[in-house]
């Protein structure tokens, strides 16, 4: 995880991530159109170097929602960890390994590919857990153990769930290191998308291109580059808090079952959608966030990054349309978000949307990658010109329904997206 943040201006959607592993090369797209993949910087190097810094680790540790819920997931399910062998994938400082050790794990392998592994070893020694926790300074894809383990424990979640592509390493660890029927913490996630309105944000992006409309900049006409500049600004994901009041419809969702998901399934996938709009407004794009589940036998724990829940370092992400689409009450907006992995540990997201009632369409390509980091938690979100009508909700599911069901089956409100709110700690 990790980006820390972002203002409401368009920020690069990434953070860099810790121990992910090498990514196999099948036809991943370059993150910069027209630039050959071999000319791009070594993103793995940048990525691992970034996670070797204490400031990056501190940003994640100080996310109290994230760290607390991971602790709850482990310590409230001690019976699942007692006497078990555990692999912590992308251990960072080893905080999750400490939780597993304190829950009674017989041995924990803390796998960390970055230089942060040295600091993890110091913490293990300083806390007297040398006999329980072994730090492995390797990519998880390169780890070999004498036998498979009972539990995989990891925080492989990026902004918009999949960014940084650490989930691929999590699945590789499942295939190579986990016993058949072993537990994965987390084991399930849902990615959500909802249309939003934000005139101020859209106009800010448009205004950035006015520099390139100058016809005599030191005697040089820049106007021929205006369209290219605008395409670049609109290709940037906007990372930061999203006002729930700016959402125009009940979210669509896509399930990710880490027990059965394949790595190719993560490299290219699509989220088709059909939204019934709540009121008269302008749709400027789509907000993205995710939830995930920890499947304890004593208690399921749910982590949400929804705009309706406490803010985390994942924030939410907005993908703008190149031109807004006017929508009215009960108008139907259809389209899709197609995610294709790129060479910068991110995704090229192809956005298409059409108002079925008017035939007006818009699209855009948003490029996510691991790059700049922002640590602020503030953003400006404008109030819609026409406030959306309240979203309809369904009755909350009982905790008993959650049991062995997937998170998407344990819905509360609204229809698809905020389903876990009633069950969340």
């Amino acid at each position: 995880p990790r980006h820390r943040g972002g203002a409401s201006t368009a920020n690069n959607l990434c953070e860099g991530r810790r121990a992910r592993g090498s990514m196999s090369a099948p036809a991943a797209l370059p993150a910069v159109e027209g630039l050959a993949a071999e000319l791009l910087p070594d993103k793995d190097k940048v990525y691992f170097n970034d996670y070797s810094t204490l400031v990056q680790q501190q940003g994640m540790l100080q996310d109290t929602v994230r760290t607390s819920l991971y602790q709850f997931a482990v310590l409230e399910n001690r019976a699942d960890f007692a006497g078990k062998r555990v692999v912590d994938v992308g251990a960072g400082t080893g905080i999750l390994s400490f939780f597993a050790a304190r829950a009674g794990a017989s041995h924990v392998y803390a796998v960390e590919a970055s230089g942060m592994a040295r600091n993890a070893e110091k913490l293990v020694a300083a806390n007297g857990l040398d006999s329980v926790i072994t730090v492995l300074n390797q990519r998880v894809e390169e780890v070999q153990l004498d036998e498979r383990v009972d539990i995989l424990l990891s925080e492989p979640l990026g902004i918009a769930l999949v960014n940084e592509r650490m989930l691929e390493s999590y699945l590789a660890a499942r295939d190579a290191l986990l016993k058949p029927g072993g537990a994965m913490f987390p084991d399930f996630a849902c990615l959500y998308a909802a249309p939003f309105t934000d005139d101020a944000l859209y106009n800010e992006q448009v205004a950035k291109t006015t520099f390139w409309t100058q016809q005599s900049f030191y005697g040089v006409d820049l106007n021929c580059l205006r369209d290219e500049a605008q395409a670049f600004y609109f290709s940037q994901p906007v990372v930061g808090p999203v006002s729930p009041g700016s959402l125009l419809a009940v979210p669509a969702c896509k399930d990710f079952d880490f027990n059965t998901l394949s790595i190719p399934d993560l490299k290219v996938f699509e989220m088709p959608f059909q939204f019934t709009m709540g009121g008269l407004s302008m749709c400027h794009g789509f907000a993205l966030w995710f939830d995930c589940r920890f499947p304890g036998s004593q208690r399921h724990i749910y982590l949400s990054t929804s705009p309706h829940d406490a803010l985390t370092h994942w924030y939410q992400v907005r993908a703008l349309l190149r031109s807004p689409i006017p929508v009215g009450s009960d108008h139907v907006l259809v389209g899709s978000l197609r995610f294709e992995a790129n060479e910068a540990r991110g995704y090229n997201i192809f956005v298409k949307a059409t108002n079925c009632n008017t035939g007006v369409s818009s699209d855009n390509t948003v490029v996510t990658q691991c790059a700049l980091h922002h640590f602020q938690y503030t953003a400006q979100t404008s109030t819609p010109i026409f406030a959306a009508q309240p979203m309809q909700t369904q009755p909350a599911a009982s905790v008993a329904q959650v049991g062995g069901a997937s998170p998407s089956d344990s819905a509360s409100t609204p229809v698809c997206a905020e389903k876990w709110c009633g069950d969340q700690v």
Side-chain angles (χ1 to χ4, degrees):
R2 308 41 36 169
H3 173 86
R4 310 322 75 141
S8 69
T9 56
N11 292 326
N12 286 346
L13 184 162
C14 185
E15 327 118 38
R17 189 77 179 104
R18 5 176 184 123
R20 290 156 173 301
S22 55
M23 295 172 292
S24 47
L29 300 173
V32 181
E33 187 176 356
L35 183 61
E38 60 268 19
L39 298 180
L40 292 168
D42 186 337
K43 290 294 181 179
D44 280 354
K45 228 176 253 185
V46 172
Y47 176 74
F48 290 124
N49 286 343
D50 190 43
Y51 276 98
S52 69
T53 64
L54 288 174
V55 67
Q56 186 75 318
Q57 297 294 328
Q58 181 177 340
M60 293 184 287
L61 293 172
Q62 288 183 320
D63 181 343
T64 56
V65 174
R66 165 194 180 270
T67 306
S68 297
L69 288 175
Y70 266 88
Q71 186 193 60
F72 300 163
V74 175
L75 297 187
E76 293 191 45
N77 291 290
R78 292 174 185 270
D80 296 333
F81 287 83
K84 300 298 177 61
R85 299 170 79 241
V86 179
V87 166
D88 177 359
V89 182
T93 58
I95 187 69
L96 304 187
S97 297
F98 285 104
F99 295 160
R102 287 168 181 163
S106 62
H107 204 84
V108 183
Y109 298 94
V111 182
E112 175 53 47
S114 80
M116 186 52 57
R118 292 187 293 274
N119 290 318
E121 287 180 327
K122 291 179 183 178
L123 289 172
V124 169
N127 286 271
L129 289 171
D130 311 63
S131 62
V132 180
I133 300 174
T134 299
V135 178
L136 301 176
N137 189 193
Q138 296 175 269
R139 294 172 183 255
V140 74
E141 289 85 349
E142 299 166 355
V143 170
Q144 295 183 341
L145 301 176
D146 55 349
E147 61 178 305
R148 290 176 177 255
V149 299
D150 304 289
I151 297 174
L152 285 187
L153 178 62
S154 184
E155 201 268 77
L157 314 166
I159 290 175
L161 181 62
V162 294
N163 196 56
E164 299 181 46
R165 298 178 60 186
M166 186 178 170
L167 282 170
E168 294 172 34
S169 294
Y170 190 43
L171 298 187
R174 175 201 66 192
D175 295 341
L177 303 175
L178 186 64
K179 290 179 179 178
M184 300 180 74
F185 280 66
D187 74 328
F188 203 99
C190 292
L191 176 62
Y192 299 100
F196 75 89
T197 185
D198 195 328
D199 289 303
L201 173 61
Y202 182 84
N203 291 334
E204 179 181 322
Q205 294 301 84
V206 172
K208 291 177 182 177
T209 66
T210 58
F211 171 84
W212 298 99
T213 64
Q214 297 179 79
Q215 295 182 338
S216 184
F217 180 76
Y218 290 87
V220 177
D221 186 348
L222 303 179
N223 197 56
C224 66
L225 298 180
R226 177 193 173 279
D227 290 346
E228 186 175 338
Q230 182 164 319
F232 172 78
Y233 288 127
F234 275 81
S235 74
Q236 303 303 292
V238 182
V239 180
V242 170
S243 168
S246 70
L247 302 178
L248 300 175
V250 173
C253 60
K254 179 175 178 60
D255 294 344
F256 294 78
D257 185 344
F258 301 144
N259 294 292
T260 59
L261 192 69
S262 72
I263 292 175
D265 290 338
L266 285 171
K267 292 186 176 178
V268 178
F269 63 89
E270 192 160 4
M271 288 185 68
F273 56 74
Q274 178 175 312
F275 297 113
T276 300
M277 311 307 287
L280 180 63
S281 194
M282 299 292 286
C283 175
H284 292 105
F286 299 91
L288 303 169
W289 65 90
F290 67 89
D291 296 345
C292 73
R293 178 182 70 183
F294 302 93
S297 61
Q298 280 72 56
R299 186 182 185 194
H300 284 2
I301 299 294
Y302 298 97
L303 185 158
S304 174
T305 65
S306 164
H308 300 276
D309 290 305
L311 192 65
T312 71
H313 77 285
W314 288 286
Y315 300 94
Q316 292 89 39
V317 180
R318 282 173 286 183
L320 286 163
L321 292 166
R322 284 191 287 185
S323 57
I325 299 177
V327 295
S329 180
D330 295 327
H331 278 195
V332 175
L333 192 69
V334 299
S336 67
L337 299 165
R338 179 175 172 83
F339 290 70
E340 297 186 10
N342 63 39
E343 293 285 356
R345 300 195 74 97
Y347 284 82
N348 294 357
I349 307 174
F350 301 92
V351 185
K352 295 181 180 179
T354 300
N355 184 332
C356 292
N357 297 73
T358 64
V360 175
S361 297
S362 187
D363 61 14
N364 194 18
T365 300
V366 175
V367 178
T368 76
Q369 55 185 313
C370 295
L372 300 178
H373 303 270
H374 305 272
F375 291 84
Q376 59 219 58
Y377 280 75
T378 59
Q380 295 295 322
T381 302
S382 64
T383 302
I385 296 175
F386 302 101
Q389 297 175 0
M391 292 187 289
Q392 295 181 350
T393 59
Q394 291 182 335
S398 68
V399 175
Q401 289 177 295
V402 177
S406 71
S408 61
D409 296 328
S410 58
S412 56
T413 106
V415 176
C416 180
E418 307 313 319
K419 37 179 94 173
W420 298 344
C421 297
D423 304 317
Q424 188 181 331
V425 175

